[in-house]
Amino acid sequence: MSALFAARGCEVLATDLHPAATTGDRAVWRETGQHAANRELLNARCVCPPGAFAERVRLRYLDMTDVPDDLTGFDFVWSACALEHLGSLEAGMRFVERSLRCLKPGGVAVHTTEFNVLSDHATVEDGPAVIYRRRDIEELAGRVAALGCRMADRDYFAGDTPADWRPDYYPYGSRPHVKVYLFGFVATSFGLIIEKPIDAPANGRGI
């Protein structure tokens, strides 16, 4: 996605865990090719011409649970199926709230995460991967509103195509799918779109 945005003319600050932090349980990101050990890996598929990519994309290592205060003034921020890996439902929601301080007034945040399709009660609340329920998303929408921002209307329709009826099993990838069995639950990707008001304070501290 960093390369795609750069190919469209955007200047991008990509972030990932520091390589030294991808040990133990976190080593799975490196071992499965999901960690950006260097900037060039972000354009491994040559989505963006190399020259333009080198000019427009920077890579900075950081922890999503401790976003530095100097990251402010962005037109947009995004994360792709990452906030559910921060240790708990609450940690992921705090990250979303924190990401709004990175935006300039009028900016937009887009985050995707795992969503519990079948249950609004039982779910995975803590651990290396959690699964958000509808009530968690609605709680987050309320927290975002309390900060003066607005989450776009949520679409909870579970789908009714053949692919929706056949969730994939671990190790996944055996057939095209839009849902998977994850820790005993059926999960899919869910998108959050949040707008920061144009009249919000521009210093990053206020929302």
Side-chain angles (χ1 to χ4, degrees):
M1 292 180 69
S2 298
L4 176 63
F5 291 139
R8 296 295 188 270
C10 298
E11 294 183 2
V12 177
L13 174 62
T15 66
D16 209 336
L17 282 171
H18 192 282
T22 58
T23 59
D25 291 341
R26 289 175 165 179
V28 65
W29 304 117
R30 183 181 67 252
E31 294 166 356
T32 56
Q34 299 181 73
H35 179 257
N38 57 65
R39 185 179 62 171
E40 286 64 35
L41 287 174
L42 296 170
N43 195 33
R45 299 182 182 180
C46 297
V47 173
C48 181
F53 182 83
E55 291 178 2
R56 298 170 185 167
V57 179
R58 293 179 292 137
L59 174 62
R60 178 171 173 177
Y61 295 117
L62 59 84
D63 189 325
M64 291 172 65
T65 64
D66 188 22
V67 178
D69 288 338
D70 66 299
L71 292 185
T72 60
F74 291 88
D75 293 300
F76 66 95
V77 299
W78 86 93
S79 69
C81 289
L83 64 94
E84 68 269 23
H85 299 294
L86 301 184
S88 68
L89 295 174
E90 174 60 24
M93 289 194 271
R94 286 199 304 267
F95 162 73
V96 173
E97 291 174 306
R98 175 62 186 86
S99 75
L100 301 177
R101 282 172 39 201
C102 297
L103 294 171
K104 66 172 58 173
V108 177
V110 179
H111 302 290
T112 62
T113 190
E114 296 289 353
F115 176 68
N116 192 326
V117 175
L118 298 182
S119 178
D120 199 28
H121 301 284
T123 197
V124 181
E125 299 187 23
D126 301 281
V130 299
I131 311 175
Y132 287 85
R133 299 159 292 197
R134 178 171 182 160
R135 67 180 184 180
D136 302 313
I137 300 298
E138 290 303 308
E139 176 189 341
L140 181 56
R143 290 166 60 161
V144 164
L147 294 173
C149 299
R150 177 185 174 275
M151 185 182 294
D153 293 342
R154 279 73 66 199
D155 183 357
Y156 295 104
F157 177 56
D160 58 4
T161 69
D164 290 297
W165 303 332
R166 299 182 60 194
D168 204 358
Y169 296 83
Y170 182 83
Y172 312 123
S174 60
R175 59 177 180 270
H177 63 263
V178 293
K179 296 182 176 69
V180 296
Y181 283 105
L182 187 63
F183 305 123
F185 298 96
V186 176
T188 192
S189 183
F190 194 88
L192 308 171
I193 304 172
I194 305 170
E195 300 171 298
K196 187 171 184 175
I198 192 68
D199 57 352
N203 60 12
R205 282 290 185 181
I207 295 296

